[in-house]
Amino acid sequence: MKVEELNVDEKIGHVKDVLSDAQKKRGVLIHAFQSIQKEYNYLPEDVLNALSKKLDIPLSDVYSTASFYKHFYFKPRGRNVVCVCVGTACHVRGASKVLEKIEESFGIKQGETTEDLSMTLETVGCVGCCGLAPVATVNEEIVGDLNPKKVGDVIKMVEGK
Ligand code: FES
């Protein structure tokens, strides 16, 4: 039998409608997450609760869908995101010292956000600029050849935004 000869609608019957409802809801969820995160910079718990009720999707499904994607956040994020590369090349060239200095300067640990929401500090495996190691990104900008003394450059970039 050729593919063209298959009557897909007949084969899957009402299952098609059930699946498409579920799929539509999942699709709506992703768009809703994007809009919410654009507005709040993360996915606030009370907004996810309201979304769950509005779409009639169990809250556990809302969370499991959101947590599947790495770019949705459940905690408030800073207006600036500093990401220190801790990949092998950066590690051997002193990334941990750079990270320590940034943590000390902003009073937060990696994965945390300053109280005034000015900055979130993260780490990453490799940003593809190993020749500039050690490297950090400030939002979209790359700062290379870092050392604890040059952390001031990163601070200026955060404060200037
Ligand atoms: S290991 Fe840091 S940029 Fe590649």
PDB file of all heavy atoms in Angstrom, residues 2-42:
ATOM      1  N   LYS A   2       0.480   2.199  -0.827  1.00  0.00           N
ATOM      2  CA  LYS A   2       1.239   3.448  -0.886  1.00  0.00           C
ATOM      3  C   LYS A   2       0.720   4.422   0.178  1.00  0.00           C
ATOM      4  O   LYS A   2      -0.437   4.339   0.592  1.00  0.00           O
ATOM      5  CB  LYS A   2       1.081   4.091  -2.264  1.00  0.00           C
ATOM      6  CG  LYS A   2       1.721   3.301  -3.373  1.00  0.00           C
ATOM      7  CD  LYS A   2       1.491   3.991  -4.698  1.00  0.00           C
ATOM      8  CE  LYS A   2       2.088   3.161  -5.809  1.00  0.00           C
ATOM      9  NZ  LYS A   2       1.771   3.693  -7.127  1.00  0.00           N
ATOM     10  N   VAL A   3       1.549   5.331   0.567  1.00  0.00           N
ATOM     11  CA  VAL A   3       1.174   6.314   1.584  1.00  0.00           C
ATOM     12  C   VAL A   3      -0.070   7.085   1.153  1.00  0.00           C
ATOM     13  O   VAL A   3      -0.962   7.353   1.955  1.00  0.00           O
ATOM     14  CB  VAL A   3       2.347   7.290   1.853  1.00  0.00           C
ATOM     15  CG1 VAL A   3       1.921   8.414   2.780  1.00  0.00           C
ATOM     16  CG2 VAL A   3       3.527   6.545   2.435  1.00  0.00           C
ATOM     17  N   GLU A   4      -0.142   7.438  -0.144  1.00  0.00           N
ATOM     18  CA  GLU A   4      -1.282   8.215  -0.645  1.00  0.00           C
ATOM     19  C   GLU A   4      -2.607   7.464  -0.476  1.00  0.00           C
ATOM     20  O   GLU A   4      -3.671   8.072  -0.410  1.00  0.00           O
ATOM     21  CB  GLU A   4      -1.111   8.551  -2.140  1.00  0.00           C
ATOM     22  CG  GLU A   4       0.165   9.273  -2.515  1.00  0.00           C
ATOM     23  CD  GLU A   4       1.321   8.319  -2.765  1.00  0.00           C
ATOM     24  OE1 GLU A   4       1.225   7.421  -3.599  1.00  0.00           O
ATOM     25  OE2 GLU A   4       2.340   8.502  -2.073  1.00  0.00           O
ATOM     26  N   GLU A   5      -2.532   6.129  -0.401  1.00  0.00           N
ATOM     27  CA  GLU A   5      -3.746   5.327  -0.297  1.00  0.00           C
ATOM     28  C   GLU A   5      -4.260   5.246   1.141  1.00  0.00           C
ATOM     29  O   GLU A   5      -5.364   4.794   1.392  1.00  0.00           O
ATOM     30  CB  GLU A   5      -3.491   3.911  -0.828  1.00  0.00           C
ATOM     31  CG  GLU A   5      -3.201   3.894  -2.322  1.00  0.00           C
ATOM     32  CD  GLU A   5      -2.716   2.518  -2.789  1.00  0.00           C
ATOM     33  OE1 GLU A   5      -2.715   1.570  -1.994  1.00  0.00           O
ATOM     34  OE2 GLU A   5      -2.344   2.424  -3.964  1.00  0.00           O
ATOM     35  N   LEU A   6      -3.461   5.652   2.087  1.00  0.00           N
ATOM     36  CA  LEU A   6      -3.882   5.597   3.480  1.00  0.00           C
ATOM     37  C   LEU A   6      -4.899   6.690   3.782  1.00  0.00           C
ATOM     38  O   LEU A   6      -4.704   7.839   3.426  1.00  0.00           O
ATOM     39  CB  LEU A   6      -2.680   5.812   4.412  1.00  0.00           C
ATOM     40  CG  LEU A   6      -1.787   4.631   4.696  1.00  0.00           C
ATOM     41  CD1 LEU A   6      -0.585   5.093   5.513  1.00  0.00           C
ATOM     42  CD2 LEU A   6      -2.528   3.540   5.437  1.00  0.00           C
ATOM     43  N   ASN A   7      -5.991   6.324   4.424  1.00  0.00           N
ATOM     44  CA  ASN A   7      -6.943   7.329   4.881  1.00  0.00           C
ATOM     45  C   ASN A   7      -6.653   7.563   6.362  1.00  0.00           C
ATOM     46  O   ASN A   7      -7.178   6.877   7.234  1.00  0.00           O
ATOM     47  CB  ASN A   7      -8.380   6.842   4.672  1.00  0.00           C
ATOM     48  CG  ASN A   7      -9.378   7.910   5.060  1.00  0.00           C
ATOM     49  OD1 ASN A   7      -9.031   8.865   5.778  1.00  0.00           O
ATOM     50  ND2 ASN A   7     -10.606   7.754   4.591  1.00  0.00           N
ATOM     51  N   VAL A   8      -5.792   8.518   6.606  1.00  0.00           N
ATOM     52  CA  VAL A   8      -5.305   8.759   7.974  1.00  0.00           C
ATOM     53  C   VAL A   8      -6.453   9.086   8.919  1.00  0.00           C
ATOM     54  O   VAL A   8      -6.534   8.566  10.030  1.00  0.00           O
ATOM     55  CB  VAL A   8      -4.249   9.895   7.990  1.00  0.00           C
ATOM     56  CG1 VAL A   8      -3.824  10.218   9.407  1.00  0.00           C
ATOM     57  CG2 VAL A   8      -3.047   9.481   7.163  1.00  0.00           C
ATOM     58  N   ASP A   9      -7.396   9.924   8.476  1.00  0.00           N
ATOM     59  CA  ASP A   9      -8.508  10.314   9.342  1.00  0.00           C
ATOM     60  C   ASP A   9      -9.310   9.095   9.797  1.00  0.00           C
ATOM     61  O   ASP A   9      -9.692   8.976  10.951  1.00  0.00           O
ATOM     62  CB  ASP A   9      -9.441  11.299   8.622  1.00  0.00           C
ATOM     63  CG  ASP A   9      -8.812  12.682   8.521  1.00  0.00           C
ATOM     64  OD1 ASP A   9      -7.854  12.940   9.288  1.00  0.00           O
ATOM     65  OD2 ASP A   9      -9.265  13.482   7.694  1.00  0.00           O
ATOM     66  N   GLU A  10      -9.539   8.177   8.849  1.00  0.00           N
ATOM     67  CA  GLU A  10     -10.302   6.968   9.180  1.00  0.00           C
ATOM     68  C   GLU A  10      -9.533   6.085  10.149  1.00  0.00           C
ATOM     69  O   GLU A  10     -10.087   5.515  11.082  1.00  0.00           O
ATOM     70  CB  GLU A  10     -10.583   6.204   7.884  1.00  0.00           C
ATOM     71  CG  GLU A  10     -11.526   5.022   8.061  1.00  0.00           C
ATOM     72  CD  GLU A  10     -11.744   4.306   6.726  1.00  0.00           C
ATOM     73  OE1 GLU A  10     -12.417   4.885   5.852  1.00  0.00           O
ATOM     74  OE2 GLU A  10     -11.205   3.204   6.583  1.00  0.00           O
ATOM     75  N   LYS A  11      -8.234   5.986   9.952  1.00  0.00           N
ATOM     76  CA  LYS A  11      -7.405   5.117  10.786  1.00  0.00           C
ATOM     77  C   LYS A  11      -7.336   5.589  12.237  1.00  0.00           C
ATOM     78  O   LYS A  11      -7.375   4.791  13.162  1.00  0.00           O
ATOM     79  CB  LYS A  11      -5.966   5.038  10.243  1.00  0.00           C
ATOM     80  CG  LYS A  11      -5.862   4.376   8.899  1.00  0.00           C
ATOM     81  CD  LYS A  11      -5.877   2.892   9.036  1.00  0.00           C
ATOM     82  CE  LYS A  11      -5.704   2.262   7.654  1.00  0.00           C
ATOM     83  NZ  LYS A  11      -6.329   0.949   7.585  1.00  0.00           N
ATOM     84  N   ILE A  12      -7.218   6.889  12.448  1.00  0.00           N
ATOM     85  CA  ILE A  12      -7.031   7.337  13.834  1.00  0.00           C
ATOM     86  C   ILE A  12      -8.324   7.884  14.445  1.00  0.00           C
ATOM     87  O   ILE A  12      -8.393   8.100  15.648  1.00  0.00           O
ATOM     88  CB  ILE A  12      -5.890   8.374  13.969  1.00  0.00           C
ATOM     89  CG1 ILE A  12      -6.171   9.628  13.161  1.00  0.00           C
ATOM     90  CG2 ILE A  12      -4.567   7.761  13.589  1.00  0.00           C
ATOM     91  CD1 ILE A  12      -5.119  10.705  13.381  1.00  0.00           C
ATOM     92  N   GLY A  13      -9.361   8.090  13.638  1.00  0.00           N
ATOM     93  CA  GLY A  13     -10.669   8.480  14.138  1.00  0.00           C
ATOM     94  C   GLY A  13     -10.640   9.605  15.155  1.00  0.00           C
ATOM     95  O   GLY A  13      -9.985  10.616  14.962  1.00  0.00           O
ATOM     96  N   HIS A  14     -11.373   9.382  16.283  1.00  0.00           N
ATOM     97  CA  HIS A  14     -11.501  10.427  17.303  1.00  0.00           C
ATOM     98  C   HIS A  14     -10.211  10.677  18.063  1.00  0.00           C
ATOM     99  O   HIS A  14     -10.057  11.714  18.683  1.00  0.00           O
ATOM    100  CB  HIS A  14     -12.619  10.062  18.295  1.00  0.00           C
ATOM    101  CG  HIS A  14     -13.964  10.072  17.661  1.00  0.00           C
ATOM    102  ND1 HIS A  14     -14.518  11.231  17.165  1.00  0.00           N
ATOM    103  CD2 HIS A  14     -14.843   9.080  17.416  1.00  0.00           C
ATOM    104  CE1 HIS A  14     -15.710  10.935  16.640  1.00  0.00           C
ATOM    105  NE2 HIS A  14     -15.920   9.631  16.779  1.00  0.00           N
ATOM    106  N   VAL A  15      -9.300   9.715  18.003  1.00  0.00           N
ATOM    107  CA  VAL A  15      -8.024   9.906  18.704  1.00  0.00           C
ATOM    108  C   VAL A  15      -7.353  11.176  18.186  1.00  0.00           C
ATOM    109  O   VAL A  15      -6.760  11.927  18.930  1.00  0.00           O
ATOM    110  CB  VAL A  15      -7.104   8.677  18.507  1.00  0.00           C
ATOM    111  CG1 VAL A  15      -5.739   8.933  19.115  1.00  0.00           C
ATOM    112  CG2 VAL A  15      -7.759   7.449  19.114  1.00  0.00           C
ATOM    113  N   LYS A  16      -7.529  11.428  16.896  1.00  0.00           N
ATOM    114  CA  LYS A  16      -6.939  12.619  16.284  1.00  0.00           C
ATOM    115  C   LYS A  16      -7.407  13.891  17.015  1.00  0.00           C
ATOM    116  O   LYS A  16      -6.611  14.764  17.333  1.00  0.00           O
ATOM    117  CB  LYS A  16      -7.333  12.682  14.813  1.00  0.00           C
ATOM    118  CG  LYS A  16      -6.787  13.890  14.087  1.00  0.00           C
ATOM    119  CD  LYS A  16      -7.364  14.012  12.706  1.00  0.00           C
ATOM    120  CE  LYS A  16      -8.793  14.505  12.832  1.00  0.00           C
ATOM    121  NZ  LYS A  16      -9.463  14.821  11.619  1.00  0.00           N
ATOM    122  N   ASP A  17      -8.730  13.948  17.315  1.00  0.00           N
ATOM    123  CA  ASP A  17      -9.269  15.136  17.979  1.00  0.00           C
ATOM    124  C   ASP A  17      -8.712  15.279  19.390  1.00  0.00           C
ATOM    125  O   ASP A  17      -8.380  16.356  19.831  1.00  0.00           O
ATOM    126  CB  ASP A  17     -10.801  15.064  18.031  1.00  0.00           C
ATOM    127  CG  ASP A  17     -11.388  15.049  16.628  1.00  0.00           C
ATOM    128  OD1 ASP A  17     -10.748  15.643  15.726  1.00  0.00           O
ATOM    129  OD2 ASP A  17     -12.454  14.437  16.442  1.00  0.00           O
ATOM    130  N   VAL A  18      -8.625  14.137  20.105  1.00  0.00           N
ATOM    131  CA  VAL A  18      -8.103  14.171  21.470  1.00  0.00           C
ATOM    132  C   VAL A  18      -6.660  14.644  21.451  1.00  0.00           C
ATOM    133  O   VAL A  18      -6.271  15.538  22.191  1.00  0.00           O
ATOM    134  CB  VAL A  18      -8.196  12.768  22.124  1.00  0.00           C
ATOM    135  CG1 VAL A  18      -7.474  12.765  23.463  1.00  0.00           C
ATOM    136  CG2 VAL A  18      -9.647  12.356  22.273  1.00  0.00           C
ATOM    137  N   LEU A  19      -5.876  14.057  20.570  1.00  0.00           N
ATOM    138  CA  LEU A  19      -4.467  14.443  20.488  1.00  0.00           C
ATOM    139  C   LEU A  19      -4.325  15.910  20.111  1.00  0.00           C
ATOM    140  O   LEU A  19      -3.557  16.644  20.682  1.00  0.00           O
ATOM    141  CB  LEU A  19      -3.730  13.583  19.455  1.00  0.00           C
ATOM    142  CG  LEU A  19      -3.422  12.157  19.875  1.00  0.00           C
ATOM    143  CD1 LEU A  19      -2.778  11.412  18.720  1.00  0.00           C
ATOM    144  CD2 LEU A  19      -2.545  12.125  21.097  1.00  0.00           C
ATOM    145  N   SER A  20      -5.125  16.338  19.162  1.00  0.00           N
ATOM    146  CA  SER A  20      -4.949  17.706  18.716  1.00  0.00           C
ATOM    147  C   SER A  20      -5.332  18.692  19.817  1.00  0.00           C
ATOM    148  O   SER A  20      -4.705  19.724  19.954  1.00  0.00           O
ATOM    149  CB  SER A  20      -5.680  17.944  17.411  1.00  0.00           C
ATOM    150  OG  SER A  20      -6.883  18.555  17.597  1.00  0.00           O
ATOM    151  N   ASP A  21      -6.324  18.379  20.654  1.00  0.00           N
ATOM    152  CA  ASP A  21      -6.657  19.256  21.786  1.00  0.00           C
ATOM    153  C   ASP A  21      -5.473  19.365  22.743  1.00  0.00           C
ATOM    154  O   ASP A  21      -5.103  20.455  23.166  1.00  0.00           O
ATOM    155  CB  ASP A  21      -7.869  18.718  22.551  1.00  0.00           C
ATOM    156  CG  ASP A  21      -9.171  19.086  21.851  1.00  0.00           C
ATOM    157  OD1 ASP A  21      -9.106  19.902  20.905  1.00  0.00           O
ATOM    158  OD2 ASP A  21     -10.225  18.561  22.255  1.00  0.00           O
ATOM    159  N   ALA A  22      -4.906  18.206  23.067  1.00  0.00           N
ATOM    160  CA  ALA A  22      -3.768  18.206  23.989  1.00  0.00           C
ATOM    161  C   ALA A  22      -2.592  18.967  23.384  1.00  0.00           C
ATOM    162  O   ALA A  22      -1.935  19.759  24.056  1.00  0.00           O
ATOM    163  CB  ALA A  22      -3.356  16.770  24.314  1.00  0.00           C
ATOM    164  N   GLN A  23      -2.365  18.715  22.105  1.00  0.00           N
ATOM    165  CA  GLN A  23      -1.245  19.380  21.448  1.00  0.00           C
ATOM    166  C   GLN A  23      -1.462  20.887  21.375  1.00  0.00           C
ATOM    167  O   GLN A  23      -0.540  21.662  21.580  1.00  0.00           O
ATOM    168  CB  GLN A  23      -1.034  18.807  20.049  1.00  0.00           C
ATOM    169  CG  GLN A  23      -0.423  17.428  20.085  1.00  0.00           C
ATOM    170  CD  GLN A  23      -0.445  16.736  18.734  1.00  0.00           C
ATOM    171  OE1 GLN A  23      -1.279  17.044  17.891  1.00  0.00           O
ATOM    172  NE2 GLN A  23       0.463  15.815  18.551  1.00  0.00           N
ATOM    173  N   LYS A  24      -2.715  21.272  21.103  1.00  0.00           N
ATOM    174  CA  LYS A  24      -3.012  22.702  21.046  1.00  0.00           C
ATOM    175  C   LYS A  24      -2.721  23.351  22.391  1.00  0.00           C
ATOM    176  O   LYS A  24      -2.149  24.428  22.462  1.00  0.00           O
ATOM    177  CB  LYS A  24      -4.484  22.927  20.677  1.00  0.00           C
ATOM    178  CG  LYS A  24      -4.771  22.815  19.210  1.00  0.00           C
ATOM    179  CD  LYS A  24      -6.237  23.063  18.959  1.00  0.00           C
ATOM    180  CE  LYS A  24      -6.620  22.579  17.576  1.00  0.00           C
ATOM    181  NZ  LYS A  24      -8.067  22.462  17.404  1.00  0.00           N
ATOM    182  N   LYS A  25      -3.139  22.686  23.472  1.00  0.00           N
ATOM    183  CA  LYS A  25      -2.908  23.257  24.800  1.00  0.00           C
ATOM    184  C   LYS A  25      -1.414  23.406  25.072  1.00  0.00           C
ATOM    185  O   LYS A  25      -0.978  24.394  25.630  1.00  0.00           O
ATOM    186  CB  LYS A  25      -3.563  22.385  25.876  1.00  0.00           C
ATOM    187  CG  LYS A  25      -5.063  22.576  25.948  1.00  0.00           C
ATOM    188  CD  LYS A  25      -5.652  21.853  27.112  1.00  0.00           C
ATOM    189  CE  LYS A  25      -7.137  22.180  27.234  1.00  0.00           C
ATOM    190  NZ  LYS A  25      -7.752  21.537  28.387  1.00  0.00           N
ATOM    191  N   ARG A  26      -0.629  22.403  24.693  1.00  0.00           N
ATOM    192  CA  ARG A  26       0.827  22.490  24.899  1.00  0.00           C
ATOM    193  C   ARG A  26       1.401  23.670  24.106  1.00  0.00           C
ATOM    194  O   ARG A  26       2.238  24.398  24.593  1.00  0.00           O
ATOM    195  CB  ARG A  26       1.532  21.207  24.447  1.00  0.00           C
ATOM    196  CG  ARG A  26       1.205  19.994  25.243  1.00  0.00           C
ATOM    197  CD  ARG A  26       1.909  19.993  26.591  1.00  0.00           C
ATOM    198  NE  ARG A  26       1.529  18.851  27.388  1.00  0.00           N
ATOM    199  CZ  ARG A  26       0.439  18.803  28.141  1.00  0.00           C
ATOM    200  NH1 ARG A  26      -0.374  19.823  28.218  1.00  0.00           N
ATOM    201  NH2 ARG A  26       0.163  17.724  28.842  1.00  0.00           N
ATOM    202  N   GLY A  27       0.917  23.819  22.871  1.00  0.00           N
ATOM    203  CA  GLY A  27       1.390  24.915  22.038  1.00  0.00           C
ATOM    204  C   GLY A  27       1.049  26.261  22.657  1.00  0.00           C
ATOM    205  O   GLY A  27       1.875  27.171  22.676  1.00  0.00           O
ATOM    206  N   VAL A  28      -0.164  26.356  23.198  1.00  0.00           N
ATOM    207  CA  VAL A  28      -0.587  27.594  23.847  1.00  0.00           C
ATOM    208  C   VAL A  28       0.292  27.860  25.058  1.00  0.00           C
ATOM    209  O   VAL A  28       0.675  29.001  25.327  1.00  0.00           O
ATOM    210  CB  VAL A  28      -2.082  27.505  24.253  1.00  0.00           C
ATOM    211  CG1 VAL A  28      -2.463  28.641  25.191  1.00  0.00           C
ATOM    212  CG2 VAL A  28      -2.960  27.509  23.015  1.00  0.00           C
ATOM    213  N   LEU A  29       0.631  26.807  25.789  1.00  0.00           N
ATOM    214  CA  LEU A  29       1.467  26.968  26.985  1.00  0.00           C
ATOM    215  C   LEU A  29       2.800  27.624  26.650  1.00  0.00           C
ATOM    216  O   LEU A  29       3.221  28.563  27.316  1.00  0.00           O
ATOM    217  CB  LEU A  29       1.758  25.598  27.627  1.00  0.00           C
ATOM    218  CG  LEU A  29       0.803  25.081  28.676  1.00  0.00           C
ATOM    219  CD1 LEU A  29       1.312  23.757  29.230  1.00  0.00           C
ATOM    220  CD2 LEU A  29       0.596  26.080  29.790  1.00  0.00           C
ATOM    221  N   ILE A  30       3.448  27.132  25.619  1.00  0.00           N
ATOM    222  CA  ILE A  30       4.762  27.671  25.268  1.00  0.00           C
ATOM    223  C   ILE A  30       4.658  29.161  24.939  1.00  0.00           C
ATOM    224  O   ILE A  30       5.449  29.976  25.404  1.00  0.00           O
ATOM    225  CB  ILE A  30       5.380  26.916  24.053  1.00  0.00           C
ATOM    226  CG1 ILE A  30       5.460  25.414  24.324  1.00  0.00           C
ATOM    227  CG2 ILE A  30       6.753  27.488  23.699  1.00  0.00           C
ATOM    228  CD1 ILE A  30       6.295  24.997  25.481  1.00  0.00           C
ATOM    229  N   HIS A  31       3.644  29.514  24.150  1.00  0.00           N
ATOM    230  CA  HIS A  31       3.463  30.938  23.814  1.00  0.00           C
ATOM    231  C   HIS A  31       3.161  31.750  25.064  1.00  0.00           C
ATOM    232  O   HIS A  31       3.652  32.870  25.222  1.00  0.00           O
ATOM    233  CB  HIS A  31       2.340  31.103  22.781  1.00  0.00           C
ATOM    234  CG  HIS A  31       2.743  30.653  21.414  1.00  0.00           C
ATOM    235  ND1 HIS A  31       3.651  31.344  20.656  1.00  0.00           N
ATOM    236  CD2 HIS A  31       2.385  29.572  20.692  1.00  0.00           C
ATOM    237  CE1 HIS A  31       3.828  30.717  19.508  1.00  0.00           C
ATOM    238  NE2 HIS A  31       3.076  29.628  19.508  1.00  0.00           N
ATOM    239  N   ALA A  32       2.338  31.167  25.950  1.00  0.00           N
ATOM    240  CA  ALA A  32       2.008  31.876  27.198  1.00  0.00           C
ATOM    241  C   ALA A  32       3.268  32.075  28.033  1.00  0.00           C
ATOM    242  O   ALA A  32       3.499  33.165  28.565  1.00  0.00           O
ATOM    243  CB  ALA A  32       0.959  31.096  27.981  1.00  0.00           C
ATOM    244  N   PHE A  33       4.101  31.037  28.150  1.00  0.00           N
ATOM    245  CA  PHE A  33       5.347  31.164  28.922  1.00  0.00           C
ATOM    246  C   PHE A  33       6.219  32.290  28.353  1.00  0.00           C
ATOM    247  O   PHE A  33       6.798  33.068  29.094  1.00  0.00           O
ATOM    248  CB  PHE A  33       6.164  29.865  28.887  1.00  0.00           C
ATOM    249  CG  PHE A  33       5.514  28.696  29.555  1.00  0.00           C
ATOM    250  CD1 PHE A  33       5.848  27.403  29.171  1.00  0.00           C
ATOM    251  CD2 PHE A  33       4.591  28.858  30.574  1.00  0.00           C
ATOM    252  CE1 PHE A  33       5.270  26.304  29.785  1.00  0.00           C
ATOM    253  CE2 PHE A  33       3.999  27.763  31.198  1.00  0.00           C
ATOM    254  CZ  PHE A  33       4.345  26.483  30.793  1.00  0.00           C
ATOM    255  N   GLN A  34       6.314  32.327  27.030  1.00  0.00           N
ATOM    256  CA  GLN A  34       7.155  33.360  26.407  1.00  0.00           C
ATOM    257  C   GLN A  34       6.640  34.757  26.736  1.00  0.00           C
ATOM    258  O   GLN A  34       7.408  35.650  27.068  1.00  0.00           O
ATOM    259  CB  GLN A  34       7.214  33.142  24.886  1.00  0.00           C
ATOM    260  CG  GLN A  34       8.037  31.925  24.520  1.00  0.00           C
ATOM    261  CD  GLN A  34       7.919  31.537  23.055  1.00  0.00           C
ATOM    262  OE1 GLN A  34       6.894  31.785  22.412  1.00  0.00           O
ATOM    263  NE2 GLN A  34       8.944  30.906  22.520  1.00  0.00           N
ATOM    264  N   SER A  35       5.319  34.920  26.661  1.00  0.00           N
ATOM    265  CA  SER A  35       4.735  36.234  26.968  1.00  0.00           C
ATOM    266  C   SER A  35       4.934  36.599  28.434  1.00  0.00           C
ATOM    267  O   SER A  35       5.280  37.736  28.765  1.00  0.00           O
ATOM    268  CB  SER A  35       3.233  36.238  26.667  1.00  0.00           C
ATOM    269  OG  SER A  35       3.029  35.998  25.319  1.00  0.00           O
ATOM    270  N   ILE A  36       4.703  35.624  29.306  1.00  0.00           N
ATOM    271  CA  ILE A  36       4.846  35.880  30.753  1.00  0.00           C
ATOM    272  C   ILE A  36       6.291  36.241  31.069  1.00  0.00           C
ATOM    273  O   ILE A  36       6.566  37.204  31.790  1.00  0.00           O
ATOM    274  CB  ILE A  36       4.403  34.638  31.561  1.00  0.00           C
ATOM    275  CG1 ILE A  36       2.902  34.397  31.389  1.00  0.00           C
ATOM    276  CG2 ILE A  36       4.761  34.805  33.042  1.00  0.00           C
ATOM    277  CD1 ILE A  36       2.439  33.023  31.848  1.00  0.00           C
ATOM    278  N   GLN A  37       7.221  35.483  30.496  1.00  0.00           N
ATOM    279  CA  GLN A  37       8.627  35.736  30.809  1.00  0.00           C
ATOM    280  C   GLN A  37       9.087  37.077  30.229  1.00  0.00           C
ATOM    281  O   GLN A  37       9.915  37.759  30.832  1.00  0.00           O
ATOM    282  CB  GLN A  37       9.507  34.594  30.302  1.00  0.00           C
ATOM    283  CG  GLN A  37      10.911  34.672  30.901  1.00  0.00           C
ATOM    284  CD  GLN A  37      11.636  33.359  30.875  1.00  0.00           C
ATOM    285  OE1 GLN A  37      11.362  32.490  31.686  1.00  0.00           O
ATOM    286  NE2 GLN A  37      12.535  33.215  29.948  1.00  0.00           N
ATOM    287  N   LYS A  38       8.510  37.467  29.110  1.00  0.00           N
ATOM    288  CA  LYS A  38       8.842  38.769  28.528  1.00  0.00           C
ATOM    289  C   LYS A  38       8.392  39.886  29.479  1.00  0.00           C
ATOM    290  O   LYS A  38       9.064  40.879  29.663  1.00  0.00           O
ATOM    291  CB  LYS A  38       8.159  38.899  27.169  1.00  0.00           C
ATOM    292  CG  LYS A  38       8.629  40.066  26.360  1.00  0.00           C
ATOM    293  CD  LYS A  38       8.018  40.041  24.978  1.00  0.00           C
ATOM    294  CE  LYS A  38       8.451  41.252  24.195  1.00  0.00           C
ATOM    295  NZ  LYS A  38       7.785  41.348  22.913  1.00  0.00           N
ATOM    296  N   GLU A  39       7.236  39.663  30.083  1.00  0.00           N
ATOM    297  CA  GLU A  39       6.670  40.670  30.992  1.00  0.00           C
ATOM    298  C   GLU A  39       7.411  40.717  32.336  1.00  0.00           C
ATOM    299  O   GLU A  39       7.738  41.780  32.840  1.00  0.00           O
ATOM    300  CB  GLU A  39       5.186  40.326  31.219  1.00  0.00           C
ATOM    301  CG  GLU A  39       4.501  41.104  32.313  1.00  0.00           C
ATOM    302  CD  GLU A  39       3.748  42.298  31.775  1.00  0.00           C
ATOM    303  OE1 GLU A  39       3.493  42.331  30.569  1.00  0.00           O
ATOM    304  OE2 GLU A  39       3.448  43.205  32.581  1.00  0.00           O
ATOM    305  N   TYR A  40       7.671  39.544  32.931  1.00  0.00           N
ATOM    306  CA  TYR A  40       8.214  39.498  34.293  1.00  0.00           C
ATOM    307  C   TYR A  40       9.703  39.128  34.364  1.00  0.00           C
ATOM    308  O   TYR A  40      10.289  39.159  35.426  1.00  0.00           O
ATOM    309  CB  TYR A  40       7.430  38.489  35.138  1.00  0.00           C
ATOM    310  CG  TYR A  40       5.978  38.845  35.315  1.00  0.00           C
ATOM    311  CD1 TYR A  40       5.013  38.302  34.477  1.00  0.00           C
ATOM    312  CD2 TYR A  40       5.567  39.716  36.317  1.00  0.00           C
ATOM    313  CE1 TYR A  40       3.671  38.615  34.631  1.00  0.00           C
ATOM    314  CE2 TYR A  40       4.243  40.044  36.480  1.00  0.00           C
ATOM    315  CZ  TYR A  40       3.287  39.486  35.630  1.00  0.00           C
ATOM    316  OH  TYR A  40       1.972  39.805  35.787  1.00  0.00           O
ATOM    317  N   ASN A  41      10.260  38.687  33.253  1.00  0.00           N
ATOM    318  CA  ASN A  41      11.648  38.224  33.215  1.00  0.00           C
ATOM    319  C   ASN A  41      11.814  36.837  33.843  1.00  0.00           C
ATOM    320  O   ASN A  41      12.918  36.358  34.027  1.00  0.00           O
ATOM    321  CB  ASN A  41      12.580  39.232  33.898  1.00  0.00           C
ATOM    322  CG  ASN A  41      13.875  39.396  33.146  1.00  0.00           C
ATOM    323  OD1 ASN A  41      14.028  38.873  32.047  1.00  0.00           O
ATOM    324  ND2 ASN A  41      14.820  40.087  33.735  1.00  0.00           N
ATOM    325  N   TYR A  42      10.717  36.230  34.274  1.00  0.00           N
ATOM    326  CA  TYR A  42      10.691  34.848  34.764  1.00  0.00           C
ATOM    327  C   TYR A  42       9.225  34.415  34.816  1.00  0.00           C
ATOM    328  O   TYR A  42       8.343  35.184  34.410  1.00  0.00           O
ATOM    329  CB  TYR A  42      11.381  34.731  36.128  1.00  0.00           C
ATOM    330  CG  TYR A  42      10.583  35.200  37.321  1.00  0.00           C
ATOM    331  CD1 TYR A  42      10.095  34.291  38.252  1.00  0.00           C
ATOM    332  CD2 TYR A  42      10.329  36.549  37.525  1.00  0.00           C
ATOM    333  CE1 TYR A  42       9.372  34.719  39.356  1.00  0.00           C
ATOM    334  CE2 TYR A  42       9.610  36.978  38.625  1.00  0.00           C
ATOM    335  CZ  TYR A  42       9.122  36.060  39.540  1.00  0.00           C
ATOM    336  OH  TYR A  42       8.404  36.482  40.620  1.00  0.00           O
TER     337      TYR A  42
END
